Amino acid sequence: MSQSVAAEQVIRHWIGGSAFESSSDRVGPVWNPATAQQIAEVCLASAADVDAAVAVAKQAFSAWRLVPLSRRAEIFFRLRGLLESHRDELAQVISTENGKTLADARGEIARGLENVEFACGIPALLKGSYSEQASSNIDVYQLRQPLGVVAGICPFNFPAMVPLWMFPSAIACGNTFVLKPSEKVPSASLMLARLAEEAGLPRGVLNVVQGDKFAVDRLLEHRDVRAISFVGSTPVARSIYQAGTHGGKRVQALGGAKNHMLVLPDADINAAADAAVSAGYGAAGQRCMAISVVVAVGSVADPLIEAIRKRIPTIKIGPGLEDGNEMGPLVTRQQRDRVASFLDAAVQDGATIVVDGRDDPAAKRDGFFLGASLIDHVTPGNRCYDEEIFGPVLSVVRTQTYAEAVNLINENPYGNGTAVFTQNGGAARRFQYDVEVGMVGVNVPVPVPVAYYSFGGWKSSLFGDLHIYGPDSLQFYTRSKVVTSRWPDPGTSKIDLGFPQVR
Ligand code: NAD
């Protein structure tokens, strides 16, 4: 451990209802991105730590799956109240480690809370189905049963919301959970686990293992882990999906994105520019549903780019914990430098830098800050188009026609979110039909579905069959069992070697 980090700033695992001493001395730094100071060290789990968490979760499973549905709902109702009353504290924790503004952190908690509300409805959601007299004196019914121990592996950009996409539904379905937060933002998950226990969740039902690839690999190979929900970048999502399913696990692995905002010539320029700035630069572009490409069709390009350019200097950039700031820093120095490198690449590729975020006064601050950038005349083949940037950079691709624009979006390997800006309902309806993307906004730039729909992209933005949270999560976190039942009158019993038929 480094000399500068005090003992209480070591962030540990949470296993079986208490802080768990790591068996390894591997640790990672936790930064405050707004100051570029290291604020803590986080334990990085060994295989033995992961095994301990899975063993505790496995042991808790047999009792937890017996807990009545109404009692599970009661716990989630209480968790909802506790999250409300600790919202500011949790937002502080998120902002300190991730860098996003307090308002944005409160926003992610609000969206996460929707998933706790969804879990409150578990008695109604887990209802099975029943067919009376499917054959003579035979009834058939379907049950949904939990899987056992399931794991969730999370990215840095939503330290509370993504865990809340996963564990409320999984646990409400009767599973026990091992949560592996991003090592960059380890504290919010610990707070969620403590609050869940305060709400009445029995010890061992929700465990937090801090760690990196090492912990993930152990979860992937552990035979007692039945399912894995992953949210993160595409290369990792793809490999987790492959390794997990190869080992016989159920896996949903949500990956990266390159979200296009299509602006048709009839769109309201000011509304489209406001949306592009909000969705492109909010959270410093570090949202998987952030807009990263504006596709300007025909004559709309020049006035739209001018409207976006004029808005950029009005964005208040600074530490997320300070009131009034609208955009915080990038999460790490490496990420800031990587994002900045796309601007040099854009020039080399022949695109036009309209606004260079490196020139923003905020970029001179001590933290990992970068101003908002706007790049025009971008085309496929440019590095800033081909790669996920995950920073405050908007690229503009100009097309002559709607068909050319939709083709561009459909050819892109990612398919997380997209949006169309138009005043023509018919054009919007055609776009929602044509576009090969999992979540579509009509004049809504960040179309994250409400919790009673499920969230998921297409193509390289999701590996697996079921989307995350909402109705799909009930299928993902349970197995269906169909029972065919007869309570015969002993007088009618006889031998029949034929294949059972409906009669
Ligand atoms: P990441 O892929 O680097 O890390 C995600 C998780 O995987 C972390 O817990 C990390 O410890 C672990 N991990 C990292 N490398 C690994 C490896 N080689 N093997 C096994 N595990 C590994 O992602 P990130 O930088 O934390 O998050 C940003 C990415 O997440 C972006 O690509 C973003 O688009 C994506 N994201 C997607 C969604 C979605 O819903 N599709 C939501 C949020 C973020």
Side-chain angles (χ1 to χ4, degrees):
M1 308 247 163
S2 82
Q3 296 277 308
S4 60
V5 178
E8 65 272 19
Q9 289 168 320
V10 176
I11 300 166
R12 297 178 205 285
H13 317 298
W14 180 264
I15 300 178
S18 49
F20 184 90
E21 205 60 50
S22 195
S23 68
S24 127
D25 54 9
R26 288 177 65 234
V27 289
V30 179
W31 299 93
N32 178 339
T35 61
Q37 298 290 314
Q38 187 183 334
I39 49 173
E41 281 181 337
V42 60
C43 295
L44 300 176
S46 64
D49 299 336
V50 173
D51 291 356
V54 175
V56 163
K58 189 181 179 189
Q59 205 193 3
F61 174 63
S62 46
W64 176 246
R65 72 172 288 208
L66 278 174
V67 171
L69 295 172
S70 55
R71 166 84 185 125
R72 297 183 206 168
E74 201 184 312
I75 292 170
F76 283 104
F77 268 109
R78 270 209 295 271
L79 177 58
R80 193 198 180 288
L82 285 168
L83 283 168
E84 280 279 11
S85 56
H86 289 79
R87 189 192 292 240
D88 287 347
E89 197 185 328
L90 184 55
Q92 290 260 349
V93 167
I94 293 170
S95 180
T96 304
E97 291 182 357
N98 168 285
K100 66 175 69 177
T101 64
L102 279 176
D104 204 28
R106 286 192 204 102
E108 82 157 276
I109 297 167
R111 296 306 309 262
L113 263 177
E114 290 178 19
N115 302 102
V116 179
E117 287 162 0
F118 183 78
C120 292
I122 201 65
L125 295 169
L126 273 194
K127 279 196 289 193
S129 51
Y130 197 105
S131 301
E132 185 181 53
Q133 200 66 355
S135 183
S136 297
N137 294 323
I138 288 192
D139 302 332
V140 179
Y141 46 97
Q142 189 201 32
L143 318 167
R144 301 215 70 94
Q145 296 188 334
L147 307 174
V149 179
V150 303
I153 300 159
C154 301
F156 77 82
N157 65 327
F158 285 108
M161 185 181 78
V162 170
L164 289 167
W165 283 1
M166 299 173 177
F167 78 78
S169 217
I171 288 175
C173 286
N175 302 285
T176 54
F177 207 86
V178 178
L179 178 62
K180 210 290 293 163
S182 162
E183 62 275 38
K184 299 185 179 91
V185 293
S187 298
S189 287
L190 282 183
M191 194 166 161
L192 293 174
R194 287 200 177 98
L195 291 176
E197 227 166 276
E198 196 178 329
L201 201 66
R203 292 170 166 234
V205 173
L206 173 60
N207 306 280
V208 179
V209 166
Q210 309 289 2
D212 53 7
K213 176 179 175 2
F214 201 82
V216 173
D217 287 346
R218 186 63 179 174
L219 285 167
L220 281 169
E221 70 191 15
H222 202 302
R223 55 197 291 275
D224 289 333
V225 175
R226 302 282 186 229
I228 297 211
S229 296
F230 171 86
V231 177
S233 59
T234 287
V236 183
R238 187 183 280 115
S239 76
I240 284 182
Y241 182 76
Q242 285 167 351
T245 52
H246 183 71
K249 297 188 197 318
R250 199 175 274 197
V251 183
Q252 55 181 184
L254 283 73
K258 197 80 190 172
N259 304 314
H260 295 65
M261 170 173 159
L262 174 60
V263 185
L264 296 181
D266 72 328
D268 180 296
I269 299 284
N270 284 324
D274 286 343
V277 168
S278 311
Y281 306 127
Q286 297 173 111
R287 293 182 184 135
C288 61
M289 290 289 276
I291 292 296
S292 57
V293 182
V294 172
V295 188
V297 178
S299 58
V300 83
D302 287 338
L304 179 64
I305 289 163
E306 179 54 16
I308 296 173
R309 189 193 63 75
K310 275 183 19 204
R311 282 161 171 76
I312 288 177
T314 69
I315 302 171
K316 295 193 188 75
I317 305 176
L321 289 170
E322 282 176 18
D323 269 350
N325 287 330
E326 297 169 310
M327 186 176 125
L330 278 297
V331 70
T332 56
R333 186 182 308 281
Q334 294 90 312
Q335 180 59 4
R336 197 261 318 270
D337 295 347
R338 181 178 171 275
V339 173
S341 76
F342 282 96
L343 296 159
D344 288 332
V347 175
Q348 282 155 21
D349 288 338
T352 311
I353 309 276
V354 181
V355 181
D356 190 329
R358 293 171 297 188
D359 299 336
D360 194 294
K364 314 275 178 300
R365 298 183 75 118
D366 286 341
F368 309 137
F369 289 95
L370 190 64
S373 297
L374 181 63
I375 312 176
D376 191 9
H377 299 292
V378 172
T379 58
N382 296 169
R383 188 174 157 235
C384 66
Y385 183 82
D386 292 348
E387 292 181 28
E388 182 184 35
I389 300 176
F390 222 56
V393 180
L394 267 180
S395 299
V396 181
V397 178
R398 296 172 179 238
T399 68
Q400 287 310 309
T401 63
Y402 164 85
E404 207 187 318
V406 171
N407 191 45
L408 175 89
I409 301 172
N410 288 349
E411 290 286 309
N412 194 278
Y414 296 105
N416 215 37
T418 189
V420 61
F421 278 72
T422 178
Q423 302 190 57
N424 181 328
R429 189 168 182 275
R430 180 164 165 203
F431 179 71
Q432 81 186 33
Y433 181 84
D434 289 339
V435 77
E436 292 173 19
V437 171
M439 293 170 282
V440 180
V442 174
N443 298 314
V444 173
V446 184
V448 175
V450 288
Y452 41 94
Y453 286 81
S454 298
F455 178 112
W458 287 12
K459 302 184 274 185
S460 293
S461 294
L462 186 144
F463 303 90
D465 304 309
L466 291 167
H467 291 189
I468 204 161
Y469 72 70
D472 277 18
S473 70
L474 304 169
Q475 286 189 61
F476 185 76
Y477 292 126
T478 62
R479 290 190 282 194
S480 130
K481 186 179 272 179
V482 179
V483 181
T484 302
S485 143
R486 171 165 57 193
W487 295 99
D489 167 3
T492 64
S493 176
K494 62 177 177 148
I495 291 174
D496 180 356
L497 299 192
F499 190 68
Q501 293 177 42
V502 177
R503 58 191 169 207

